[in-house]
Amino acid sequence: HYLERVCAGPLALDCKYVVPEYRPLVVSALVWTRLQERAREAVSDCRRCQDDPSFEQVLEQIDGFQTKIAAKVALLGDAVHPKSWPHAGEFSRPWSDPAVLSVGEDGAVTFAGEVVSSGAWQRRIKTARKDSTVLGVHLLPSADVQRLMTIADGAREAGYLAIALETRTPQYPFSLREYRITTARGKHAIGVAVRGQDTVQVLVQAFDAAIESAATDPKVALLHL
């Protein structure tokens, strides 16, 4: 909550448009950068310090920490920005926090934060099935629905009963939300008419319209593709 407040206020230019999971890392990088700048300025103004090699050693340690954490932030790229998630609609439900299978813009796959080769993700989610019957899925809003369908098929074969499509509220603090999608066409599930080439963001909008039309409580709404 502290980071949420400072990123909405004093540090808005630095971290307001960073999703909650990555704010600690981004703010840490900012802290080390400012410490680096102030430490070097302080030493440069201290004639006695310049004659003591221990001060230069401390500065080098600070430089090392700053470089390391800045590199981590740089590797994340656009993954820290809320635009990397579909925007949740009014009829999304609270995020249930299952382990997440994520597919990036370049097709790179991670599961529960660990890199998985593109051909091994089905085996990986199957080994984790004993921990949950719901598989979290993160796709870019511009990804096509066919990719989600493929994941749903793989989840069904791995024994999952449903997938939780990860979305975010479009307003700060960009909280996680989800749409629960059954892996089988259950009689109580709400269907939507979408094409494989439609985007995930279009699918989310269709989900919202379908839930509203069915007059179903969003917290228990179960959808199917």
Side-chain angles (χ1 to χ4, degrees), residues 147-208:
R147 175 163 284 181
L148 180 61
M149 291 175 173
T150 299
I151 293 174
D153 290 340
R156 181 187 307 111
E157 292 176 8
Y160 290 88
L161 301 180
I163 59 177
L165 178 62
E166 201 174 52
T167 61
R168 286 192 186 277
T169 56
Q171 302 84 20
Y172 187 84
F174 313 116
S175 303
L176 282 172
R177 305 283 293 178
E178 72 177 63
Y179 292 85
R180 187 66 61 86
I181 306 167
T182 181
T183 56
R185 296 203 169 205
K187 61 181 179 180
H188 298 299
I190 303 169
V192 292
V194 291
R195 301 168 300 174
Q197 64 266 37
D198 288 331
T199 66
V200 171
Q201 186 61 62
V202 167
L203 176 67
V204 166
Q205 294 166 347
F207 280 162
D208 253 32

Side-chain angles (χ1 to χ4, degrees), residues 91 187-192 206-218 220-224:
F91 296 94
K187 61 181 179 180
H188 298 299
I190 303 169
V192 292
F207 280 162
D208 253 32
I211 295 170
E212 181 178 25
S213 179
T216 301
D217 181 354
V220 298
L222 188 63
L223 301 141
H224 72 71

